[in-house]
Amino acid sequence: MTEKLFYQDSYLSEFHGKVLSCTSLSSEHSSEAKYEAVLDRTAFFPEGGGQSSDTGTLTCKEETVQVLDVQEQDGVVVHFISGYLNPGETVIGKLDFQERFSKMQQHTGEHIVSGIVNKHFGYNNVGFHLGKDGVTMDYDGPITQEELRKIEYEANQAVAENIPVQVLYPTKEELEGISYRSKIEIQGQVRIVQIPGYDSCACCAPHVKDTGSVGMIKLVGAIHYKGGMRVSMLCGFWALADYNQKEESVVTISNRLSAKQEQVVQAVERLEQEIQEQKEKVKRLQQRYVELCLKEAKESCRENPKAPVLLFTEEMDAIAMRNFVNDAMKLTGGICGVFVGDDARGYRYVLGSLEQDICAAGKQINERFQGKGGGKPPMVQGSLVGCEEEIRAFLNER
């Protein structure tokens, strides 16, 4: 059994330990970890309780190796490390304490939020994940946006109260008198983390000493998930980093739109309206352009009722392309087509005919001009590479 220093003092960032074993590791575990080491004591928290392990270094004399992952196996804490350590030697372990402290903030914040959700709605936390940059909590019932705002406010009230976080190791008899949350049946000694007035939960992870150390609790997202709700949360320094990133985005948007920061939503709405108006204008102009092209085509089809009706243009949306071909097919028994693009980039095309085998024509033009696409009579569409002169000549010769 490994002496677990992280339960004695969750703020311990440096410790001494003796190397009991160090064995070579297959490449299946990690592309970076090369050995697995067992110490007689450690402050590195192993992966568990929905939380990834601590990371840091182990130093023996002048040799320092990276601790990349930590796992617990039958009470033994195994450190997956980047280099070899001699068994019997004493090492100095140093945690990446910034990472540890942030995780303690997140995990304690989860206790506060989940306790509030359970108290007010009776929902259980049925899933928890604390990753490198965020937390998700799964609850077995729906929560509205208004309710989430109230939960968030109450959670931050708990932070402001700076309540001591208590850790209990009750006997079996004492445990029977304690009400607590737990996702699983627990064998052996149960570790209870309590935040008086807010939560009591069985948990194996390190936590901050008081709720004030959690810092701001911010619920940053929520989606319906498996009949319940998946809520995303950030606490403390992670919440601050998220705020800074979003503030930077708002400042950039406000500068580009020449709007006050508190008015960026209205500015974006105005911009969206202007864009929609421009789209409608472009749509009308395209339709007018199509009508003019069809008028010219009508004159040429009077002389040759089987003549192809072809339009080449640099810009046109898919609806206008189909509209042109639909109307052109009524003018001629030949092939109608619109090609959008240029000789350098290639063309998107729509071809149609009420009398010709348009599928065969599409296949032939694709073979000739490295094209792809398809469809069914009376219209096919796709893209190809070629120059306008050669495409016109090819279709005129069919």
Side-chain angles (χ1 to χ4, degrees):
M1 298 285 287
T2 306
E3 183 181 358
K4 300 169 183 175
L5 302 176
F6 46 82
Y7 285 151
Q8 300 174 24
D9 182 1
S10 62
Y11 284 72
L12 184 64
S13 62
E14 185 174 326
F15 68 96
H16 289 76
K18 183 179 180 180
V19 180
L20 300 180
S21 67
C22 186
T23 56
S24 181
L25 182 67
S26 69
S27 59
E28 295 178 359
H29 179 80
S30 168
S31 59
E32 296 181 78
K34 298 179 181 179
Y35 297 90
E36 57 179 52
V38 175
L39 311 180
D40 64 339
R41 60 206 301 265
T42 185
F44 285 94
F45 177 72
E47 181 180 9
Q51 177 173 322
S52 59
S53 72
D54 290 327
T55 60
T57 61
L58 293 173
T59 301
C60 179
K61 297 178 182 177
E62 296 182 358
E63 180 71 21
T64 297
V65 300
Q66 299 295 318
V67 178
L68 303 165
D69 188 17
V70 186
Q71 301 288 327
E72 183 172 0
Q73 302 171 1
D74 299 323
V76 176
V77 178
V78 180
H79 306 73
F80 294 89
I81 58 179
S82 62
Y84 183 74
L85 295 172
N86 292 315
E89 296 280 4
T90 296
V91 295
I92 299 174
K94 291 184 179 181
L95 278 65
D96 179 342
F97 191 72
Q98 183 177 1
E99 176 189 45
R100 157 67 79 82
F101 185 73
S102 289
K103 288 180 179 178
M104 291 197 298
Q105 287 183 311
Q106 313 312 310
H107 210 139
T108 310
E110 180 273 324
H111 279 263
I112 295 171
V113 172
S114 293
I116 293 170
V117 169
N118 186 259
K119 178 175 67 175
H120 291 305
F121 303 97
Y123 300 154
N124 297 306
N125 182 337
V126 294
F128 169 69
H129 177 70
L130 200 173
K132 293 292 185 182
D133 53 7
V135 177
T136 58
M137 305 165 290
D138 297 338
Y139 299 109
D140 55 2
I143 308 173
T144 67
Q145 285 298 319
E146 183 180 357
E147 290 167 342
L148 285 168
R149 286 287 171 260
K150 291 180 179 179
I151 292 166
E152 180 183 81
Y153 189 86
E154 187 173 345
N156 282 282
Q157 282 184 316
V159 172
E161 292 171 18
N162 199 28
I163 302 166
V165 177
Q166 302 173 3
V167 178
L168 309 177
Y169 293 91
T171 65
K172 185 176 181 181
E173 291 72 23
E174 291 171 334
L175 188 63
E176 292 178 356
I178 299 176
S179 177
Y180 65 95
R181 297 186 299 110
S182 177
K183 296 191 288 291
I184 59 174
E185 290 293 328
I186 303 173
Q187 302 297 323
Q189 177 65 63
V190 178
R191 181 175 185 264
I192 302 294
V193 175
Q194 288 188 338
I195 302 172
Y198 290 92
D199 192 38
S200 180
C201 182
C203 184
C204 65
H207 299 79
V208 294
K209 293 179 179 179
D210 46 61
T211 58
S213 297
V214 174
M216 179 171 59
I217 296 175
K218 184 63 183 172
L219 304 183
V220 293
I223 60 172
H224 292 282
Y225 182 74
K226 294 185 177 180
M229 214 74 182
R230 171 166 286 181
V231 179
S232 300
M233 177 189 73
L234 295 170
C235 299
F237 291 114
W238 286 4
L240 177 62
D242 181 68
Y243 181 93
N244 288 338
Q245 187 275 320
K246 289 175 179 175
E247 180 186 40
E248 183 179 345
S249 296
V250 170
V251 170
T252 301
I253 293 170
S254 69
N255 289 339
R256 291 191 177 186
L257 297 182
S258 299
K260 295 180 179 179
Q261 292 180 28
E262 62 271 21
Q263 296 176 342
V264 292
V265 173
Q266 296 91 327
V268 170
E269 289 174 346
R270 288 195 298 271
L271 181 60
E272 288 176 336
Q273 182 177 354
E274 291 173 6
I275 291 172
Q276 185 59 40
E277 291 173 354
Q278 291 299 317
K279 285 182 177 179
E280 293 298 326
K281 182 177 180 179
V282 169
K283 183 178 178 180
R284 292 192 298 270
L285 291 173
Q286 281 191 140
Q287 185 57 37
R288 178 58 179 158
Y289 177 59
V290 166
E291 291 171 357
L292 291 173
C293 292
L294 288 169
K295 185 177 180 180
E296 293 182 7
K298 187 175 182 179
E299 296 298 325
S300 62
C301 287
R302 286 176 181 173
E303 301 177 3
N304 183 359
K306 296 292 185 179
V309 176
L310 306 176
L311 172 62
F312 285 78
T313 183
E314 290 188 0
E315 298 290 344
M316 183 176 285
D317 65 35
I319 294 176
M321 291 171 70
R322 290 193 294 271
N323 287 343
F324 175 84
V325 174
N326 269 324
D327 290 339
M329 286 191 295
K330 301 172 186 176
L331 303 178
T332 179
I335 290 178
C336 305
V338 56
F339 296 82
V340 178
D342 56 46
D343 291 357
R345 296 176 298 161
Y347 294 91
R348 293 181 293 116
Y349 70 81
V350 175
L351 297 178
S353 178
L354 296 176
E355 298 181 18
Q356 304 290 321
D357 186 343
I358 198 61
C359 291
K363 183 178 180 181
Q364 291 168 2
I365 200 170
N366 284 339
E367 291 175 352
R368 172 65 177 80
F369 295 100
Q370 308 170 50
K372 58 182 179 180
K376 58 183 180 180
M379 192 178 296
V380 295
Q381 60 186 17
S383 61
L384 51 75
V385 178
C387 65
E388 177 181 347
E389 183 179 352
E390 292 178 349
I391 296 169
R392 284 185 179 277
F394 180 81
L395 290 173
N396 280 311
E397 291 171 0
R398 285 191 79 262

